[in-house]
Amino acid sequence: MNGSVTHGPMPFPASCAGAPLVVFATMLIDVVNSRFEAEYQRRRKEDEARAVDEEYDFIVVGGGTSGCILASRLSESTSATVLLLERGGTEPEEARVPALQPYVWRSNSVEYPKSVSEQQNCNGTGCTMTVPFVLGGGSTLNGMMYVRGSAVDYDSWADAVDDSSWNFTNVLYYFKRAERNLDLPIAWDTEYHSSSGPQRVSWQQYRHPVMHRLAKAMLHEGVPFRLDVNSRDQLGFTVVQTTTDGGERYSTYRSYLEPARRRSNLQVRTYATATKIQIERGLATGVHYRGADGKDHFARARKEVVLTAGSLYTPHLLMLSGIGPSKHLQEANIPIVADLPVGETLQDQARATGAEYTCRPPLCMVDWRSSQRDLDVYERTRRGPLAANGVAALTAFFHSGKGSQVGPPKQPDVQLLFFGSARGTGERCMDGSWRLNCVSVVAVALHPSSRGSVRLNTSAPTSAPVVRLGYYEKASDVDVVMEGVRRARRLAAPLRSLGLELMPNDCGGFPHDSDEYARCLVRTTSGATYHWVGSCPMGPGDKAVVDTRLRVHGLRHLRVADASVMPSLPSGNTMAAVIMVAEYAADLIKKEHVISH
Ligand SMILES: Cc1cc2nc3c(=O)[nH]c(=O)nc-3n(C[C@H](O)[C@H](O)[C@H](O)COP(=O)(O)OP(=O)(O)OC[C@H]3O[C@@H](n4cnc5c(N)ncnc54)[C@H](O)[C@@H]3O)c2cc1C
């Protein structure tokens, strides 16, 4: 590598060397990284050749889930010029194969910083965070689960920010505007769904046979089946729709930005890292960024700068630009432009692995010959195990009634996620393999009360932000996840009769039906969920960073339009809500600047 990336790929454990799947994955990662390298070298030459500062109507910073939508929507009218700055490269083709997600994660499309170590989570060592570094952002790398959350979530947003335009009835318009729902049994319900938006949403065609056993076990335990968790009711288990079509992933890059890239009024600049927003007399006038040539460049914004660098990097960039808590900025020697609570209320959903179940042949085959056959089937037909991400489309939502944030009975507060892996002789070489013989059931607290933070490293502010995730700081969040852990373990008896065995885990030596045991599992198996939101929340008060039209308080021509503006977490995975926020933000900006739709 010739300095193109700020981080190296994630290696496999040395003990896995030589395993055929690991050899295959290593080659795949090399292919992805060499394509990034070629793009970087092209970009470097372009940057070196560009001497003058540029000027656009809009500059969108961060080409992730939200940024791709904003850049595409704002450039729909030829009367507006748009520059999109993204620090990573273009979405690799391999990311479009659903089952290759865990391998693409190990390429240079992701960085893996550690959060601040906290005694109560991630075994006190700091959590490893998977942070997107590629056009498409999370939507290019994530589990593709399309979950909107419940109506109550958005009605509570509207109450909290005192603006009814964010209630469910109103935001449903934007959920629908984005959606191209491809499954008739769901799409027919046009009150909740649409088939004409850019974002493809569908069921994965391949379902691992283990999913049927897990579903049977949940029915046995009285958990109702819910066909569509994105309409009236969310409680129960489901096979969730994903951002896929025809066996391939559709990120927001592919759905929105790629078709727009040929527009002459849109510039997409990869390997361009924004370093500071230029503010002149309270007005955002442009963005300083480091190009692929390693030099500083400046682009002027005639109308607006829109930040979509995600919940960790949007607050980082604001603080580098002098917008943040004044005391903290002083510590970092950064001149204060606006004293705002940037980065103070980071939220993520605490999780813990409640149970792991093993599955034997012939139901679960993890041999390399079968895997090769799958590759061949996928190559020819876009079907088979590679067209799905294991068993992850199966999920369940519960209302535990525990914890301090007890919402109305219709609002879930616990989600169960199911992840497959292939285990060899006790070694976890192939987590996330498309062939699996182990299923982990992960319990997630959807509405935790604990909060984290994003801060500058005061001795080296331009280096990576200091992230404290805060999971389990409030004891009530432990109670909620413990309830999820119990539900994950209740599946043991019905699953045994269906051929799946609970893996032994003598956590702390406590009796397995005791609270101490569930608490021990929570303590020892927690990890990051990557659903971080709320680091620049919207609202009218002094706890908010942006107003309900997403404009940074006290400044002009500066907006935030990504996961960081959410006042609270939705009841589920966060991508669908980010897509909705981006669609709404595009409308707000177009209306304010009188740009045609
Ligand atoms: C591993 C993983 C799995 C997930 N699984 C799911 C799932 O199955 N379903 C679901 O609903 N949600 C899931 N999520 C969450 C979802 O992907 C995120 O909520 C969503 O992507 C956030 O969108 P965003 O636009 O706010 O930020 P991102 O998508 O993270 O985009 C931020 C972008 O900004 C760029 N950037 C950052 N700093 C700068 C800078 N200074 N200059 C230029 N560019 C910059 C980054 O490279 C990135 O491309 C997952 C997330 C992860 C990480």
Side-chain angles (χ1 to χ4, degrees):
M1 283 287 162
N2 193 4
S4 68
V5 283
T6 57
H7 55 284
M10 187 188 234
F12 287 94
S15 54
C16 302
L21 190 64
V22 173
V23 173
F24 164 80
T26 307
M27 278 163 54
L28 184 117
I29 295 162
D30 282 349
V31 169
V32 172
N33 283 346
S34 57
R35 210 157 323 115
F36 280 141
E37 179 64 19
E39 178 180 0
Y40 169 76
Q41 296 302 343
R42 269 197 318 278
R43 287 276 315 110
R44 196 167 71 153
K45 289 203 183 96
E46 285 165 25
D47 276 353
E48 280 166 355
R50 190 168 1 88
V52 287
D53 292 346
E54 305 160 277
E55 194 166 301
Y56 296 84
D57 290 318
F58 298 102
I59 301 178
V60 180
V61 178
T65 302
S66 174
C68 287
I69 298 175
L70 260 303
S72 168
R73 287 296 191 198
L74 294 178
S75 60
E76 276 172 343
S77 161
T78 47
S79 65
T81 54
V82 178
L83 171 67
L84 173 65
L85 299 174
E86 165 56 43
R87 64 180 181 159
T90 298
E91 173 179 286
E93 279 169 38
E94 292 74 8
R96 297 179 175 186
V97 183
L100 295 186
Q101 173 207 30
Y103 312 122
V104 175
W105 277 20
R106 288 172 184 267
S107 76
N108 295 321
S109 56
V110 172
E111 60 171 356
Y112 290 98
K114 277 258 188 183
S115 67
V116 170
S117 62
E118 297 169 279
Q119 182 254 325
Q120 81 282 1
N121 65 44
C122 297
N123 286 315
T125 60
C127 309
T128 301
M129 301 183 289
T130 304
V131 184
F133 201 101
V134 65
L135 269 181
S139 70
T140 290
L141 302 157
N142 67 19
M144 300 170 285
M145 297 171 73
Y146 185 78
V147 179
R148 290 174 177 174
S150 82
V152 181
D153 301 337
Y154 303 99
D155 290 342
S156 336
W157 284 17
D159 287 347
V161 304
D162 198 19
D163 183 343
S164 62
S165 72
W166 287 98
N167 70 24
F168 183 66
T169 311
N170 291 325
V171 299
L172 181 58
Y173 170 80
Y174 293 103
F175 277 118
K176 285 172 68 176
R177 194 167 80 170
E179 187 184 84
R180 182 180 304 185
N181 206 306
L182 301 166
D183 298 320
L184 209 55
I186 290 193
W188 72 269
D189 187 354
T190 52
E191 190 183 337
Y192 288 92
H193 295 286
S194 156
S195 307
S196 56
Q199 182 59 59
R200 290 157 203 244
V201 175
S202 73
W203 281 310
Q204 294 175 350
Q205 292 152 359
Y206 177 80
R207 292 185 189 170
H208 193 286
V210 153
M211 289 166 81
H212 298 115
R213 315 256 166 142
L214 293 163
K216 270 188 174 176
M218 282 194 272
L219 285 173
H220 182 274
E221 285 306 297
V223 185
F225 173 68
R226 181 89 44 208
L227 183 75
D228 178 11
V229 289
N230 290 321
S231 59
R232 286 162 193 83
D233 294 298
Q234 205 189 343
L235 297 176
F237 79 91
T238 192
V239 177
V240 81
Q241 290 187 298
T242 51
T243 44
T244 51
D245 180 16
E248 295 189 2
R249 175 195 295 268
Y250 274 79
S251 63
T252 60
Y253 170 72
R254 193 176 185 186
S255 305
Y256 284 84
L257 193 69
E258 196 178 54
R261 270 188 103 160
R262 69 184 90 89
R263 292 176 190 157
S264 59
N265 59 328
L266 170 65
Q267 271 289 325
V268 178
R269 192 146 300 150
T270 52
Y271 294 108
T273 306
T275 50
K276 192 179 170 189
I277 315 299
Q278 175 81 20
I279 312 279
E280 296 169 29
R281 291 184 296 281
L283 193 79
T285 54
V287 179
H288 297 269
Y289 67 94
R290 200 178 51 255
D293 57 355
K295 300 208 177 98
D296 291 331
H297 297 260
F298 179 68
R300 188 164 287 280
R302 277 186 291 261
K303 291 192 163 72
E304 271 201 27
V305 174
V306 186
L307 302 187
T308 51
S311 291
L312 308 184
Y313 281 96
T314 287
H316 186 238
L317 186 57
L318 282 171
M319 289 188 279
L320 288 178
S321 313
I323 302 158
S326 56
K327 196 162 164 285
H328 180 54
L329 295 180
Q330 273 160 6
E331 284 162 8
N333 268 326
I334 292 183
I336 297 158
V337 172
D339 180 10
L340 289 170
V342 171
E344 298 209 319
T345 47
L346 184 73
Q347 303 178 40
D348 191 12
Q349 293 162 335
R351 72 170 162 106
T353 304
E356 294 182 299
Y357 294 98
T358 53
C359 154
R360 283 191 298 275
L363 184 63
C364 295
M365 304 283 288
V366 293
D367 59 294
W368 176 237
R369 195 176 289 254
S370 305
S371 300
Q372 280 177 303
R373 228 181 10 251
D374 300 336
L375 282 163
D376 181 49
V377 168
Y378 186 80
E379 183 68 32
R380 285 186 290 104
T381 64
R382 291 291 182 266
R383 288 178 176 272
L386 275 112
N389 52 342
V391 294
L394 189 73
T395 189
F397 298 95
F398 302 96
H399 178 82
S400 76
K402 310 267 179 192
S404 60
Q405 301 249 351
V406 183
K410 273 187 115 173
Q411 187 187 36
D413 59 357
V414 179
Q415 182 177 5
L416 291 188
L417 298 170
F418 298 84
F419 298 118
S421 58
R423 306 269 172 104
T425 47
E427 186 55 74
R428 295 184 64 146
C429 298
M430 303 176 211
D431 266 13
S433 148
W434 63 87
R435 293 232 148 225
L436 58 98
N437 59 10
C438 176
V439 176
S440 307
V441 189
V442 172
V444 179
L446 294 172
H447 303 289
S449 341
S450 307
R451 296 286 178 266
S453 61
V454 181
R455 297 240 187 274
L456 296 170
N457 174 346
T458 48
S459 50
T462 54
S463 62
V466 177
V467 179
R468 193 179 59 78
L469 290 166
Y471 304 136
Y472 301 122
E473 211 169 72
K474 298 274 190 312
S476 60
D477 297 341
V478 180
D479 295 339
V480 175
V481 179
M482 277 168 65
E483 183 57 22
V485 163
R486 287 187 201 101
R487 289 181 192 237
R489 300 186 74 78
R490 255 180 240 155
L491 302 177
L495 281 177
R496 191 174 313 117
S497 64
L498 294 164
L500 275 82
E501 286 292 334
L502 181 65
M503 282 175 79
N505 182 343
D506 282 328
C507 204
F510 297 111
H512 287 199
D513 55 356
S514 65
D515 283 354
E516 287 78 9
Y517 182 74
R519 191 169 288 113
C520 176
L521 284 183
V522 172
R523 199 176 52 248
T524 54
T525 67
S526 68
T529 309
Y530 326 124
H531 291 166
W532 26 71
V533 308
S535 51
C536 305
M538 66 166 132
D542 56 7
K543 296 229 160 28
V545 172
V546 298
D547 67 15
T548 55
R549 299 173 85 178
L550 310 182
R551 298 168 301 196
V552 174
H553 278 304
L555 298 173
R556 285 176 298 143
H557 294 190
L558 182 59
R559 219 177 283 252
V560 178
D562 57 20
S564 53
V565 302
M566 295 185 195
S568 58
L569 281 152
S571 304
N573 317 57
T574 39
M575 169 174 56
V578 173
I579 292 173
M580 175 277 288
V581 166
E583 282 280 8
Y584 188 9
D587 238 18
L588 287 168
I589 296 169
K590 283 178 164 185
K591 280 186 186 136
E592 212 162 294
H593 295 279
V594 200
I595 296 169
S596 57
H597 288 257

